[in-house]
Amino acid sequence: MRDETTCCLVRSTRNRQKATTMEQWPSLSILLSFLLISAVILSLCQAAPEVFTNSFYVRLNGEHGHDVASRIAKRNGFENLGPVMGSKSEFHFVHRGLNHARTKRSVPHTRLLKADPLITSAIQQSGFRRVKRGFNPLKVENLVDVPLSHNDPSDPYFPYQWYLKNTGQNGGKPKLDLNVEAAWAQGITGKNVTTAIMDDGVDYMHPDLKFNYNAKASYDFSSNDPYPYPRYTDDWFNSHGTRCAGEVAAARDNGVCGVGVAYDSKVAGIRMLDQPYMTDLIEANSMGHEPNLIDIYSASWGPTDDGKTVDGPRNATMRAIVRGVNEGRNGLGNIYVWASGDGGEDDDCNCDGYAASMWTVSINSAINDGQNAHYDESCSSTLASTFSNGAKDPNTGVATTDLYGKCTRSHSGTSAAAPEAAGVFALALEANPSLTWRDIQHLTVLTSKRNSLFDAKGRFHWTMNGVGLEFNHLFGFGVLDAGAMVALSREWKTVPARYHCDGGSVKEARRVPSRGTLVLTLDTKACQGTDTEVNYLEHVQAVVTLNSTRRGDTNIYLTSPMGTRSMILSRRPNDDDRHDGFVKWPFMTTHTWGEYPKGTWTLEVRFVGDVLQAGWLKEWTLMLHGTRDAPYVNLPVTDPHSKLAVVKKAHEDRKKA
C-alpha cells in the first residue's frame, strides 16, 4: 500500500472497506487508515509546537534491498538504520549532523533525498513523547527468607506475589488473584511462547531471566543493535522493562526473586523507549519485529497521562499493528497487550489511541482488596483487569525482578498490570497454540471474573449487557482467570470470520446545547444482505468530529439497540482545549460484546462542569465490527452458569425469535 502521508495529509478510504479475514490485511489497513490513522494524525497536526528529529522515512522506487539503500544513504550523507517492518523498499535513514530534535523541518536534507533518482519519497520524522506507566523509583530490596507452603514455588519473593496467590497478605482479600495455580495444575506453564517486552530494555543477564531470554527475538531500536540492555542511570529509571519481564517469565524454584505467571515461557527485550523523542519508525519497527518468533507484545507505556492529551499511533505504527494481527504468528495474529493508563479519574483512556484500539487488549488494574487503584483511568474500551498495588500500603506493589540481579516488591501502576495479562495469555497459547488474536479477546471476555472488584468511589457499577455479560466501566469484563482461560482454551473452536460494517453516519453539523443534551439516533441494518454483514458484535466505534469551547467538559454516551449504554468519553478537568477538538476520533466500546447490532443506536453529547460551554458535533459515523455467524456454536457447555452458557443461550433464543 503506497504511503505518501505527511503529518497533515491523510487519505480518506472509507468507500473501500471489505470483509476482512486473516488473509486480507491490506483492506484492513485501508479501513484503519480512515478510522484511526487519519483521526490521530489530523488531530495531532494541530497540537502545540511540533518537534522534528534527525530520522527520515525513505521509500525507494523499487525493491532494491538493504545494501542498495545503505549506498544511497551514504552518498547523500545519511546512515541507513535498516528497513521499516522488513520492507525492501522502505527504510529508516538518520543524519548524524542534524540535532536529534529541532523545531523546524530541515528542507535542504529532505530535498537532497528527494533529488536522488532511486528515492520516490522522503519524510522527516516528527518526535513525540511516550511515557512509562507507573514508574516509581522506590527502594530496591535484597532477597528475604520467609516460610512457604509445601506445594508453593520455593522462590523467596513468592509469598509477596499476592496477585498469583492471595492469602490475605497486606490486607488483601483471599483468593482475589489471577488463579494461576489452577492453570499450573493443568500442566500449563507457558512453554514455547515468547512475549516481547517493548520498553526501556531488559536485564537479560538477571539470574531469574537469563534462561528464559529469547535473544533471537530481541533488539535495541534505541541504539540500533541486538543487545537491548538498559542504559544505566543513578535513579534506576530504566528498570521498568526488567520489572515487567519478571512478571511474565521469572524462573521457578531457583532461589531468586519470585516466579513469573508463565514461568516456562520466553521473554524478548525490545528496547525502544530510551531516547529523547519517539518516532513513528521506531514504534513501527518495534511492533513489527520478528512477528513469527514473538507471540505477544506487551506495552506498559503510552501518550502522556496528563488528562489533556489526545494521541495515538501514527501511520507506520498502525500498519505494523494491522500486519501483526493479520500476518503475525504465521497468520494467527500477534497479541498486543496495552496498559490502559495512569491518569486517574481526571483522564479517559479512550483518548489514548493505543489502549482504545481494537487491535490491542487494554488492561486496567485493581489492588489486592478489589478496589481500583487511585491512578486507574476508566473507559469503555478496557477489556479486562489484573493487579498492581497492595491495599494497606500503596508502596507494596508487584514483586518481580529488578536491575542488576536485584528484586523489588514495589513495581506498580497499570505498567504492572499489562505484563500479568501477557503471562496469562502465554498460558492460554501453550494450552492451545492455534488460538488467533481474536480468540484471545473472546476468551478474555468469557473467562474474566467480576470476583470482588469494585469502584471505591461508587461511580461505576457492574452492569449486564444485552446478552447477559457483566461489565464495569473501570474493570472491563473483570479480572483475568488463568485457570478458566486455560481450561476453555483446550476446548476452543476458532471464532468465525470478522467483518467491518459502516452502520451509518450523521453528516449535518449539530449544535451541542450549553445546557441539556444533544441526542442523535442512527437506524442500521448492520450491512444486512451484503458481504460485510455483522450480526454478533465484538467492537463498536463511534467516529466523532467535534469542537467545543472546552474539550474536557464534554461527555459522550453511546446506547445500543439492546439498551447497553456506554460512556465513550468522560469529563477530563485538565483538558482546556478549545481549538483542536476531536477529528474523526474513533471512540470505542467493548461493552456491547456479543449483542445484535440491528436497530437504533443513540449518541448523546453534553457538557458538564460549572461553566457554560458551547460546541458543535460536526460528524458521527457508527462502525460495527464482529461476525456474521454466531460464535461459540461448537463449544461444549460444562457449567450452565458460565458466561459461555449465558451467551450461547441468548444467541439461540434470538435465532428462535
Side-chain angles (χ1 to χ4, degrees):
M1 183 177 67
R2 186 175 176 82
D3 177 11
E4 301 288 349
T5 307
T6 58
C7 186
C8 291
L9 255 117
V10 183
R11 263 178 269 176
S12 175
T13 53
R14 181 189 314 169
N15 57 357
R16 296 164 61 188
Q17 298 160 9
K18 295 181 181 179
T20 53
T21 63
M22 289 298 172
E23 293 75 31
Q24 293 175 304
W25 84 265
S27 62
L28 196 56
S29 171
I30 289 170
L31 176 69
L32 285 169
S33 295
F34 164 66
L35 285 182
L36 189 50
I37 301 171
S38 62
V40 173
I41 296 177
L42 285 173
S43 64
L44 291 171
C45 289
Q46 304 163 23
E50 198 165 1
V51 171
F52 298 97
T53 69
N54 61 346
S55 293
F56 291 76
Y57 165 84
V58 174
R59 180 190 287 274
L60 307 185
N61 62 4
E63 294 188 350
H64 295 285
H66 181 81
D67 291 342
V68 173
S70 295
R71 290 198 295 271
I72 295 171
K74 186 175 181 180
R75 75 186 179 211
N76 288 291
F78 288 77
E79 179 184 344
N80 175 26
L81 295 186
V84 177
M85 297 181 291
S87 171
K88 294 182 179 180
S89 60
E90 300 171 87
F91 292 89
H92 184 185
F93 284 11
V94 64
H95 197 291
R96 302 298 184 187
L98 277 175
N99 290 333
H100 184 83
R102 48 188 286 144
T103 56
K104 293 183 179 180
R105 292 185 186 273
S106 178
V107 176
H109 289 85
T110 305
R111 285 177 176 168
L112 177 66
L113 289 171
K114 288 184 174 180
D116 192 290
L118 292 181
I119 294 177
T120 60
S121 65
I123 302 169
Q124 188 172 4
Q125 291 291 288
S126 298
F128 43 88
R129 298 290 187 186
R130 291 292 177 261
V131 296
K132 306 168 194 177
R133 288 180 164 157
F135 171 73
N136 186 8
L138 297 169
K139 64 178 182 178
V140 179
E141 302 159 19
N142 293 316
L143 300 179
V144 295
D145 186 18
V146 292
L148 297 166
S149 299
H150 177 68
N151 294 322
D152 287 342
S154 62
D155 306 84
Y157 268 47
F158 181 73
Y160 302 114
Q161 294 184 292
W162 48 266
Y163 56 95
L164 301 182
K165 184 174 182 177
N166 195 338
T167 60
Q169 62 269 58
N170 196 47
K173 186 173 181 60
K175 297 186 179 181
L176 176 59
D177 53 41
L178 297 174
N179 195 25
V180 294
E181 288 189 318
W184 297 344
Q186 297 174 62
I188 300 299
T189 54
K191 290 182 288 291
N192 302 316
V193 180
T194 293
T195 298
I197 306 298
M198 298 187 295
D199 215 288
D200 56 16
V202 170
D203 180 358
Y204 46 79
M205 294 186 289
H206 194 292
D208 219 12
L209 296 173
K210 63 182 180 180
F211 296 113
N212 285 342
Y213 177 66
N214 189 336
K216 290 183 178 179
S218 300
Y219 200 78
D220 187 332
F221 288 102
S222 292
S223 297
N224 202 43
D225 61 56
Y227 310 106
Y229 198 83
R231 179 177 57 88
Y232 175 79
T233 63
D234 288 340
D235 62 358
W236 290 40
F237 180 71
N238 290 320
S239 63
H240 197 253
T242 301
R243 294 178 173 190
C244 293
E247 292 180 81
V248 178
R252 176 171 175 159
D253 296 334
N254 64 345
V256 181
C257 297
V259 61
V261 173
Y263 56 78
D264 280 331
S265 69
K266 301 291 185 183
V267 284
I270 296 182
R271 182 169 174 259
M272 44 82 73
L273 281 183
D274 191 24
Q275 63 274 327
Y277 286 94
M278 181 60 70
T279 69
D280 190 21
L281 297 187
I282 290 177
E283 282 192 357
N285 277 330
S286 299
M287 295 183 203
H289 181 65
E290 296 291 359
N292 293 324
L293 293 181
I294 294 168
D295 301 288
I296 303 163
Y297 296 81
S298 180
S300 291
W301 51 269
T304 306
D305 291 321
D306 56 8
K308 57 185 177 182
T309 298
V310 178
D311 198 356
R314 271 69 165 175
N315 194 324
T317 300
M318 278 311 308
R319 287 169 52 206
I321 296 175
V322 170
R323 189 172 76 172
V325 298
N326 285 276
E327 293 185 350
R329 294 178 57 235
N330 299 306
L332 295 173
N334 298 121
I335 294 99
Y336 293 89
V337 183
W338 224 275
S340 62
D342 289 346
E345 61 182 297
D346 290 341
D347 209 346
D348 187 299
C349 40
N350 247 349
C351 293
D352 174 346
Y354 300 88
S357 169
M358 298 181 295
W359 320 113
T360 67
V361 181
S362 179
I363 299 293
N364 207 350
S365 72
I367 58 180
N368 67 349
D369 67 350
Q371 298 181 58
N372 59 295
H374 69 88
Y375 44 73
D376 283 344
E377 294 183 33
S378 62
C379 66
S380 57
S381 56
T382 296
L383 199 63
S385 299
T386 55
F387 298 101
S388 53
N389 292 100
K392 285 188 174 179
D393 179 5
N395 291 329
T396 300
V398 166
T400 181
T401 51
D402 213 335
L403 285 176
Y404 316 126
K406 301 294 185 180
C407 315
T408 182
R409 290 186 294 163
S410 304
H411 191 37
S412 66
T414 54
S415 275
E420 291 171 22
V424 173
F425 298 153
L427 297 174
L429 291 182
E430 187 203 343
N432 185 347
S434 298
L435 296 174
T436 68
W437 69 276
R438 287 177 52 235
D439 291 335
I440 286 290
Q441 295 207 18
H442 279 269
L443 283 162
T444 298
V445 172
L446 292 177
T447 61
S448 295
K449 301 293 194 297
R450 172 178 176 173
N451 206 312
S452 303
L453 303 185
F454 67 99
D455 176 15
K457 294 190 175 180
R459 299 162 299 166
F460 304 119
H461 302 284
W462 287 90
T463 306
M464 194 169 287
N465 76 3
V467 293
L469 291 171
E470 270 194 316
F471 67 89
N472 184 285
H473 191 70
L474 270 167
F475 303 114
F477 289 96
V479 64
L480 292 180
D481 185 318
M485 182 174 282
V486 164
L488 188 54
S489 294
R490 288 177 148 169
E491 305 291 333
W492 192 256
K493 308 296 182 184
T494 297
V495 291
R498 171 183 169 97
Y499 296 93
H500 307 275
C501 169
D502 184 334
S505 300
V506 173
K507 300 287 189 179
E508 182 182 348
R510 305 290 182 92
R511 182 184 293 276
V512 181
S514 297
R515 297 187 187 278
T517 303
L518 171 66
V519 179
L520 300 175
T521 59
L522 274 176
D523 292 320
T524 183
K525 294 185 177 180
C527 299
Q528 183 176 355
T530 73
D531 291 340
T532 59
E533 181 175 359
V534 174
N535 293 318
Y536 304 91
L537 287 172
E538 291 175 6
H539 307 88
V540 175
Q541 293 172 307
V543 186
V544 170
T545 298
L546 180 147
N547 284 97
S548 64
T549 50
R550 193 174 189 279
R551 184 171 63 187
D553 282 354
T554 310
N555 269 179
I556 307 179
Y557 294 85
L558 181 67
T559 303
S560 73
M562 297 189 77
T564 301
R565 190 169 185 250
S566 302
M567 181 165 62
I568 59 175
L569 177 64
S570 59
R571 183 172 186 260
R572 302 202 307 161
N574 298 327
D575 186 356
D576 293 323
D577 171 77
R578 60 181 296 119
H579 301 294
D580 300 340
F582 296 101
V583 182
K584 288 184 167 60
W585 188 262
F587 295 99
M588 194 266 279
T589 181
T590 61
H591 296 168
T592 54
W593 199 280
E595 289 191 0
Y596 311 98
K598 295 181 178 68
T600 301
W601 289 79
T602 304
L603 190 79
E604 304 167 60
V605 186
R606 68 186 184 205
F607 295 119
V608 293
D610 298 329
V611 180
L612 294 180
Q613 306 295 340
W616 289 84
L617 178 71
K618 297 181 178 179
E619 184 180 351
W620 165 41
T621 298
L622 177 68
M623 295 300 304
L624 307 170
H625 309 274
T627 62
R628 179 188 306 153
D629 302 320
Y632 324 137
V633 171
N634 297 318
L635 281 176
V637 175
T638 57
D639 178 1
H641 303 294
S642 66
K643 288 186 181 181
L644 174 62
V646 169
V647 176
K648 284 190 70 170
K649 185 178 186 306
H651 289 171
E652 289 165 2
D653 291 346
R654 179 74 177 187
K655 273 191 171 182
K656 292 175 183 177

